[in-house]
Amino acid sequence: MAFTLYSLLQAALLCVNAIAVLHEERFLKNIGWGTDQGIGGFGEEPGIKSQLMNLIRSVRTVMRVPLIIVNSVAIVLLLLFG
Amino acid sequence: MHPAGLAAAAAGTPRLPSKRRIPVSQPGMADPHQLFDDTSSAQSRGYRAQQAASGLGYPATSTLPQAAFLADPVSNMAMAYGSSLAAQGKELVDKNIDRFIPVTKLKYYFAVDTVYVGKKLGLLVFPYLHQDWEVQYQQDTPVAPRFDVNAPDLYIPAMAFITYILVAGLALGTQDRFSPDLLGLQASSALAWLALEVVAILLSLYLVTVNTDLTTIDLVAFLGYKYVGMIGGVLMGLLFGKMGYYLVLGWCCVSIFVFMIRTLRLKILAQAAAEGVPVRGARNQLRMYLTMAVAAAQPLLMYWLTFHLVR
């Protein structure tokens, strides 16, 4: 029962970090998840895969700078308070 | 901003009186579109005028020992500047808070009355006879639950959450396992599971590209209804042991499952499918799976959050 709000925050930070380190050219293109491979025309609705790729790309673009700040704060706090 | 603020402070008029708005209300009139009963009266209006008058008077003349400090013109100006800065900051926060947390919409979710709460609790425990689950549609504001029993509210989930924490403390106390920080741990754990559920459901709604009018607050309200069943289960478990706990929890789990499916079906699935006609395609099938997954997660969480409380 050690599932607290703090551990949820830590898990969320780790997940967002994991999404941010996926490299476009070396990794995503090799498994077919690159952002230029997903545009399925102006069809009716995008499938789950293209939604996921859009989500990964937007998270990487939006969260790059805030992640630097949040990670630095987390590192300092963990060093000080364990 | 700084030169303008200093100039206004140099003019010497504090901004406080302009912020005091005397409410123009008739206490006897019952407006049917009002959300809450207006309890302001002439007595409170007189009190507010008195407060405004005294607020104006205090920096000028006083015989307190701090009078020397306050009469100094520089500190006077600094105080006026500081108060105008605080007022501007408050205005900024008030304008922008509505972008992140829809505070003005929150009040609709708490506009409940006793009849609604009674009917809703009955519906949560016995949803099998209710026929019409559709909410009467209202343009841009959420439907106040007072007017429609199908509308989601935040009063029952909030009260049920607090009662769940208290009942958990009671259960731990009867087993000699109680300590005050455990209450905080229970509350934090239940809130964390709620946050995780909301994030997971919002993520899957985004991935399946469902166009619904299901807002985040609605979702929090629906996910908070399971605390009612949890309280019932734990109380029965305290009174009648494990058998009572399993019986009541099983009944509440099935009721919440049916309740969630019938409510979410109208919000997530397309209109035609909600009327019972099976529509083609993988999309509606995916939406049906999503609805069933959300509804099936409720009994699981109800069991997970209560089984350690009943021995």
Side-chain angles (χ1 to χ4, degrees), chain B residues 240-263:
Chain B
F240 298 118
K242 280 220 142 185
M243 195 65 332
Y245 167 68
Y246 283 131
L247 278 177
V248 174
L249 196 74
W251 174 270
C252 290
C253 283
V254 176
S255 318
I256 274 283
F257 184 72
V258 172
F259 179 87
M260 291 294 285
I261 287 210
R262 287 203 181 156
T263 312

Side-chain angles (χ1 to χ4, degrees), chain B residues 33-39 107-108 110-112 146:
Chain B
H33 296 296
Q34 240 182 354
L35 278 181
F36 302 108
D37 297 328
D38 193 3
T39 50
K107 65 178 186 222
Y108 289 99
F110 285 99
V112 295
R146 187 181 284 203

Side-chain angles (χ1 to χ4, degrees), chain A residues 7 9 12 14 16 22 25 34 37-38 41 50 57-58 62 72 81-82:
Chain A
S7 57
L9 278 177
L14 287 175
V16 178
L22 293 174
E25 289 171 5
Q37 300 163 339
S50 68
R57 186 165 66 117
S58 19
V62 168
S72 318
F81 300 118

Side-chain angles (χ1 to χ4, degrees), chain B residues 84-154:
Chain B
S84 79
L85 204 59
Q88 279 175 12
K90 183 173 175 326
E91 268 181 45
L92 198 69
V93 167
D94 281 341
K95 256 194 304 183
N96 286 332
I97 193 75
D98 209 31
R99 273 198 282 163
F100 301 111
I101 313 171
V103 175
T104 52
K105 291 210 160 83
L106 266 184
K107 65 178 186 222
Y108 289 99
Y109 290 91
F110 285 99
V112 295
D113 57 351
T114 322
V115 175
Y116 170 82
V117 171
K119 280 200 212 164
K120 195 78 176 192
L121 286 177
L123 211 59
L124 282 171
V125 178
F126 198 77
Y128 309 106
L129 295 180
H130 190 75
Q131 297 298 338
D132 181 22
W133 292 82
E134 182 91 35
V135 177
Q136 296 161 20
Y137 182 60
Q138 202 169 348
Q139 270 300 338
D140 47 354
T141 60
V143 179
R146 187 181 284 203
F147 304 126
D148 187 2
V149 80
N150 291 321
D153 71 313
L154 278 177

Side-chain angles (χ1 to χ4, degrees), chain A residues 62-79:
Chain A
V62 168
M63 296 296 286
R64 204 152 270 187
V65 172
L67 261 186
I68 299 176
I69 303 173
V70 176
N71 274 331
S72 318
V73 168
I75 289 172
V76 168
L77 284 180
L78 281 175
L79 278 178

